[in-house]
Amino acid sequence: MDKTSLLASAQRQMNRAMSAWCTSDNDMAVLHGGIGTEHLLKALLAARHPSLLVDGRDFNSLLHATGQSTYAASPETKVKTIGALDAFKRAAALITMPVKERDLDPLLTARNGVAHLGAHDDAVTHDALAIAVTVADAVLADLQENIPTFWGPWAGTRLDLEQMQREAQSAAEQAPEGVGIEALVEPPLENWEDGLLEPVVDGFRSESFQVAKIAVAVKVRCAKKLYRVLYYGKTPEEIAKADLVEPEADRSEYGECLYLSVKCPVCGADGDVAASLGNQPRRPKKGRRSRREGEFPDYFDCDTCGLELDNRYELEVLGMAAPSRNGWFAY
């Protein structure tokens, strides 16, 4: 319940939202945009006092928020916080918001639709994200955070989402047929590990792989730009030190997972390929396996450069997962 961790989470979520928008993944755009907005609003409240985040009807939560955890009857992991709408109302009482409560409805309705029903009205995606950007800039200004640094590669086009999407789609369309992903992105910065972006196969094995290749082209480009903004001019030692203090990623949305430690294919930082246990093929009831031979990976997140891969095909494009008889990566 501190400003620093909430800001870091908000930045990751907004980066995911903009990346999804660029690839026309509208569901993920509004989902992550809504989460990022909520975390930013809560960062503003936490900067005043952590108690402003909690549900005032839950006394144990108030005890934790006010530093009286020894008297609480439940652990801090069960603290009850307010929702996004209440967070906006409280934030609006503290600063002058550029939008009204009713203006936030498209964003929150779309986010909740994806989170709870698996769908939302695609027609409101642009307006929902525009509201997220407007609220985010107001909160960042109040917190005296560097707005361009927060937005990274999206700083220049965040106020013109249509232009942002056109530029991303244009970059993907200009990719020559059969050219590896490394030809679509900028040359790696000095001190980056050599050979991280390996060429991918020339032929497409499926429509899903083709779509993934275009999406990864955009994501890698943006991750490199974000890395440049955050770490340009810093020594490898300074970058390594920054990685050590990076807040733990919130993986609760994925449920129980298995993790395989890997190097980020963009910046070389340590990361995890995750296989959600709720999204695995059914195992035969008979017969025993002393060890899982393979799993279906779901995602990869890099807290250092912001690269996010969202399915097994995107992971395969960058050589982080490969089809096998029993699954997609072996232990």
Side-chain angles (χ1 to χ4, degrees):
M1 292 192 294
D2 64 279
K3 183 190 79 170
T4 301
S5 61
L6 285 164
L7 269 175
S9 176
Q11 186 179 35
R12 291 194 300 270
Q13 297 293 341
M14 287 301 194
N15 182 66
R16 294 169 180 173
M18 296 299 108
S19 179
W21 166 252
C22 286
T23 56
S24 299
D25 189 352
N26 292 335
D27 281 4
M28 291 300 99
V30 295
L31 176 64
H32 292 300
I35 295 173
T37 301
E38 179 175 345
H39 289 185
L40 272 171
L41 291 168
K42 290 182 175 179
L44 183 147
L45 298 176
R48 266 65 173 188
H49 197 279
S51 63
L52 296 176
L53 295 178
V54 303
D55 185 341
R57 297 169 297 180
D58 189 80
F59 184 59
N60 288 317
S61 297
L62 284 172
L63 288 173
H64 285 297
T66 54
Q68 304 297 318
S69 297
T70 55
Y71 300 102
S74 59
E76 190 172 2
T77 53
K78 292 188 177 182
V79 166
K80 296 181 180 179
T81 62
I82 56 176
L85 184 58
D86 284 333
F88 178 84
K89 292 177 181 178
R90 294 186 184 184
L94 299 173
I95 68 171
T96 301
M97 282 290 183
V99 299
K100 302 296 184 183
E101 180 183 327
R102 64 177 178 274
D103 298 323
L104 204 66
D105 183 69
L107 175 62
L108 299 187
T109 298
R111 185 198 70 168
N112 292 339
V114 175
H116 303 299
L117 298 175
H120 85 288
D121 183 1
D122 282 344
V124 308
T125 304
H126 176 277
D127 291 344
L129 285 182
I131 290 295
V133 171
T134 300
V135 172
D137 283 359
V139 171
L140 292 168
D142 176 78
L143 294 175
Q144 299 182 349
E145 294 291 327
N146 186 295
I147 295 178
T149 297
F150 176 88
W151 289 107
W154 319 108
T157 52
R158 74 186 189 284
L159 300 178
D160 189 345
L161 295 172
E162 292 181 350
Q163 178 64 22
M164 178 193 294
Q165 195 174 64
R166 285 195 297 270
E167 290 181 1
Q169 292 174 348
S170 176
E173 291 170 359
Q174 291 173 10
E177 181 74 14
V179 173
I181 194 70
E182 72 282 355
L184 304 179
V185 298
E186 300 170 355
L189 299 176
E190 185 178 359
N191 295 327
W192 281 23
E193 292 189 22
D194 295 332
L196 288 174
L197 291 177
E198 299 294 339
V200 295
V201 293
D202 291 337
F204 295 125
R205 285 184 293 281
S206 67
E207 181 180 352
S208 296
F209 187 81
Q210 181 175 1
V211 171
K213 188 173 182 180
I214 296 174
V216 170
V218 175
K219 292 183 177 185
V220 169
R221 179 186 293 268
C222 293
K224 283 197 170 188
K225 288 184 177 180
L226 180 61
Y227 186 90
R228 185 185 296 275
V229 170
L230 295 177
Y231 296 106
Y232 184 74
K234 293 187 177 181
T235 66
E237 291 75 17
E238 290 173 326
I239 296 174
K241 184 177 180 181
D243 290 340
L244 291 176
V245 299
E246 188 70 33
E248 183 69 19
D250 180 8
R251 293 164 167 158
S252 58
E253 61 187 289
Y254 300 101
E256 187 180 0
C257 294
L258 296 173
Y259 298 100
L260 180 66
S261 180
V262 298
K263 293 288 186 182
C264 174
V266 169
C267 69
D270 291 330
D272 291 323
V273 173
S276 171
L277 296 184
N279 189 32
Q280 300 301 307
R282 289 187 176 182
R283 306 292 187 189
K285 293 183 179 180
K286 295 183 179 181
R288 296 182 60 185
R289 296 171 54 190
S290 60
R291 192 182 181 115
R292 295 178 186 272
E293 297 179 7
E295 305 295 341
F296 288 154
D298 297 291
Y299 73 97
F300 170 81
D301 280 337
C302 178
D303 289 329
T304 301
C305 68
L307 178 66
E308 180 192 47
L309 305 175
D310 294 305
N311 56 61
R312 66 192 67 160
Y313 301 107
E314 291 185 9
L315 290 164
E316 185 186 3
V317 168
L318 291 183
M320 300 170 71
S324 67
R325 183 171 61 86
N326 296 308
W328 276 64
F329 61 77
Y331 288 87

